[in-house]
Amino acid sequence: MGAMIEIDRLNVSFGDGSQAMRVVDDVSFRVAKGECFGIVGESGSGKSTILRTIMGLNSNFTGRIVIDGQPFETRRAREQYRHIQMVFQDPYSALHPRRTVDWSINEPLLIQGYPDRDRLVVEMLESVGLSPALRYRFPHQLSGGQRQRVAIARAIILNPAVLLLDEPTSALDLSVQAEVLNLLDGLRRAFGLTYVFVSHELAVVAHMCDRLAVMKQGVVVEILSAEQLRRGDAAQEYTRELIAASLPYRREALAG
């Protein structure tokens, strides 16, 4: 299966001149079409910065970002943005507090000039397990899980090829996390999506992803399969430390 995402020698820095700080250092990886690829590491390791750079939210980078054979440069065509979407950690801040659910999901369709938007909004709400009756509610009238479902609906309504997921369940109650993860897993298969999934929870990554990159201080120290993660079969000491730090749910949860 061909590569949907190709990242070659990606470097990202914040600041200028002698004050510049490199936060992503010479990172390379490939993600196959339809794959869920995880990125794990401690806070500040550069995980979310990679996602934001792929999405086009960081312009100060060097290296190559190729999506479905198309190079994605600092300046991108509107059509390229349609092919890649992102779901953020906090569903409340991702949605306009003074706009309805209908407006939030409709906005990308309006920007891209889609016809028949009313039908598409209803279909998408149903696809993410929400009643169309919620269309005219505001974010504060929804639960955290419902808000994240709206954010997911907004992200996939343009039928992107790639979905970038930045800790999409970490702000949710434990009882809701599994529901949203199962929804994302089902949507990936139903729509043929390719995921890059950032998380600090190894059990979540082992459940969702096919392979994962382990990051430390901006560098990818190891790429391994989810099966290797579940077995604790890591080549690098840092990865073994991360697995050990995931206790008390280490082997039992990872095997689930």
Side-chain angles (χ1 to χ4, degrees), residues 11-41:
N11 295 280
V12 183
S13 299
F14 294 146
D16 298 309
S18 61
Q19 303 299 315
M21 180 175 66
R22 181 169 290 185
V23 292
V24 174
D25 191 357
D26 207 29
V27 165
S28 298
F29 59 84
R30 304 281 187 279
V31 184
K33 291 182 179 180
E35 183 179 14
C36 182
F37 184 83
I39 305 178
V40 302

Side-chain angles (χ1 to χ4, degrees), residues 41-47 200:
E42 297 172 322
S43 295
S45 60
K47 309 184 301 295
H200 66 278

Side-chain angles (χ1 to χ4, degrees), residues 32-84:
K33 291 182 179 180
E35 183 179 14
C36 182
F37 184 83
I39 305 178
V40 302
E42 297 172 322
S43 295
S45 60
K47 309 184 301 295
S48 295
T49 300
I50 289 177
L51 288 199
R52 294 177 66 85
T53 305
I54 295 173
M55 186 64 201
L57 301 176
N58 289 325
S59 58
N60 192 17
F61 72 89
T62 62
R64 293 179 71 245
I65 300 172
V66 179
I67 307 295
D68 200 15
Q70 293 185 41
F72 273 49
E73 310 293 349
T74 300
R75 299 185 66 178
R76 301 177 182 182
R78 185 175 68 171
E79 177 68 13
Q80 288 185 308
Y81 282 104
R82 188 181 70 78
H83 287 298
I84 185 166

Side-chain angles (χ1 to χ4, degrees), residues 120-149:
L120 290 171
V121 169
V122 171
E123 289 180 356
M124 191 52 59
L125 284 170
E126 292 173 341
S127 294
V128 298
L130 291 176
S131 168
L134 298 177
R135 284 177 68 183
Y136 300 108
R137 293 191 183 180
F138 293 88
H140 72 272
Q141 297 174 307
L142 305 177
S143 68
Q146 288 173 327
R147 287 194 293 264
Q148 193 61 297
R149 287 172 188 264

Side-chain angles (χ1 to χ4, degrees), residues 175-239:
S175 60
V176 181
Q177 285 188 16
E179 295 177 7
V180 174
L181 290 172
N182 288 334
L183 169 68
L184 287 167
D185 200 37
L187 291 171
R188 176 168 68 101
R189 301 175 194 282
F191 290 95
L193 293 161
T194 301
Y195 287 172
V196 182
F197 191 104
V198 159
S199 180
H200 66 278
E201 298 182 37
L202 296 189
V204 169
V205 171
H207 172 71
M208 288 291 296
C209 299
D210 305 294
R211 295 180 303 128
L212 64 142
V214 180
M215 292 195 68
K216 179 182 181 182
Q217 297 177 347
V219 176
V220 171
V221 299
E222 184 170 7
I223 293 178
L224 64 160
S225 69
E227 179 58 33
Q228 288 175 301
L229 175 61
R230 285 190 284 267
R231 293 198 310 262
D233 182 16
Q236 298 296 318
E237 179 61 26
Y238 177 70
T239 306

